[in-house]
Amino acid sequence: MSKSLKELRPVYVVGIGLHRYQFLSDTTYIDLALTAVRAALADADIEWPTVESAYVGRALLPMACGRPILRHLGATGIPIAHIENASASGSTAFRHACIEVASGMSDVSLALGVDKPMAIARSEGLTGIGNLADDAIAPFTHFALLAHQYATQYGVRHEDIALVAVKNHRNGAKNPFAQHQKERTLDEILGGKKISGTFTSLQCTPVGEGAAAVIVASEDGIKRLGINASRAMRVAASAGRSQKVNIDATRYDAVLTKQTAEVAFQESGISPRALDIVELHDAFTVEEVEYVEAMGICGEGEAISRLKDGEFDIGGRCAVSASGGLISMGHPIGPTGLGQIAEIARQLRGEAGNRQHPGARTGLAHMVGVGAVCYVHILQK
Amino acid sequence: MTAPNLLKPALYRAEGSVADPDRPALLGGACECGYVFFPLQTYGCERCGRTSLATRALSGTGKLLASARVHLHGGKTRTAPFTIVSVMLDDGPIVRTVLAGDDAVHPGDRMVTMLVPVTNAEGAERLDLRFAPQR
């Protein structure tokens, strides 16, 4: 009979590190990644030779980027696996590092995410199955259509959905790792460059580069290496699912989110209403609205009123996108899911500074990826 | 009209369906399990995996679910702005494509297919299936 992660031996986040997410620059992916890994090692207060395996999440960088990075820490011969799962690449790398440690095969594993913007093709375009006009439907249009559907169904205005961007830019302004670090008024957001439907540019995640690293360890590893156990956050659940045939074929991201989150809540025994911190795939404002409802953090159709009441603010009932989310912190793709884990760990440790959500004890990280795939992790203090 | 005039003859035809002979039909598929889908593919049913899939001509009528005016487009084959519509066909599948014309549309509107002149990548004139509000 198969087991969930929680039924295997406990695994903890012990080290986190990032390179700021930023617009495309001359910084090499080596520098981006080494910055994040070295910061994670320093955060865990361990040396590189203690790490027993590495999972490298990337979606845009070409084949085999891992060893060109990691050899500069001193090549130790550890297994290096590259993971590509579209937007969920980093989340998937995290899951597999956790599985390796939880299984007992390793005591310490690294999940590293790194990417730089570049044009690549999607395999879906090579299936030989035609489409009416998919070349005209970029992700921002897919979500603009969903925003229109949501607004119509629940009678909300597009200005209301844009309030997600106001909150997330406000949070990102406090995050030194965020690509956008500037508070924006609703008028500034609504008055920005028109993209698709009711979306303006500041309601959409920017394109950028960056890196994020998370080190996970077992209790044996923590003891043996003298890691500070009070800063080690338990991975209480890891869930991964992919899209199935749905009655509503357009809302597959929300349906998949609900299915995946349910697995994570069941595994951890934690209720969605007990979450203190949520980092989710808010590449477009309407996504935050759809996913908090799909995960049961609030009821269907309630997200906007809860948002307006401040429930999802830092200091509210449940801080959603305290990092700034994909909208403000950014979405360099490979790193993104790992940056979420880093933010949650920081919050649970009480080390988030002026971004700190008081009393944070339980956090959830959610990513969806083209496919579609979905990964949900829950961390607990 | 003959097939070579259509931009994507594997996806639609000028002839209508049994349910609506006047509107160009979309060429979908159906599985024994009951799943109806667009476009036709013969790799295997996404619901049950069976490979014995039949062609099903889907009627060119449906209900508008949502629309989005696209202001930014990086590709070379189209020029923004244009409007994308999401239509739930009366036969079941949800399809997304370009709106024909500039009439305002609203969720719930009845939509119908029509063939619109376009220029293909080689510069030749073809007919592409789009949706327009039913008048």
Side-chain angles (χ1 to χ4, degrees), chain B residues 9-52:
Chain B
L11 301 183
Y12 44 76
R13 66 187 191 197
E15 183 192 343
S17 62
V18 168
D20 196 327
D22 296 330
R23 308 290 177 190
L26 294 108
L27 302 177
C31 180
E32 292 168 30
C33 73
Y35 184 47
V36 176
F37 51 90
F38 175 83
L40 175 68
Q41 51 84 12
T42 54
Y43 288 123
C45 175
E46 286 192 45
R47 184 190 281 173
C48 74
R50 285 183 176 88
T51 53
S52 51

Side-chain angles (χ1 to χ4, degrees), chain A residues 132, chain B residues 26 38 58 85-89 93-97 131:
Chain A
L132 291 176
Chain B
L26 294 108
F38 175 83
L58 307 173
V85 289
S86 177
V87 176
M88 179 181 285
L89 300 177
I94 296 173
V95 298
R96 292 173 159 179
T97 192
F131 280 86

Side-chain angles (χ1 to χ4, degrees), chain A residues 322-367:
Chain A
S323 64
L326 276 61
I327 285 172
S328 176
M329 182 168 176
H331 183 24
I333 310 191
T336 310
L338 290 162
Q340 293 179 330
I341 298 293
E343 177 68 14
I344 292 169
R346 220 186 286 282
Q347 291 279 350
L348 300 190
R349 287 169 173 177
E351 295 174 3
N354 63 354
R355 237 171 35 254
Q356 183 65 49
H357 180 66
R361 297 195 60 83
T362 308
L364 178 147
H366 156 274
M367 284 296 281

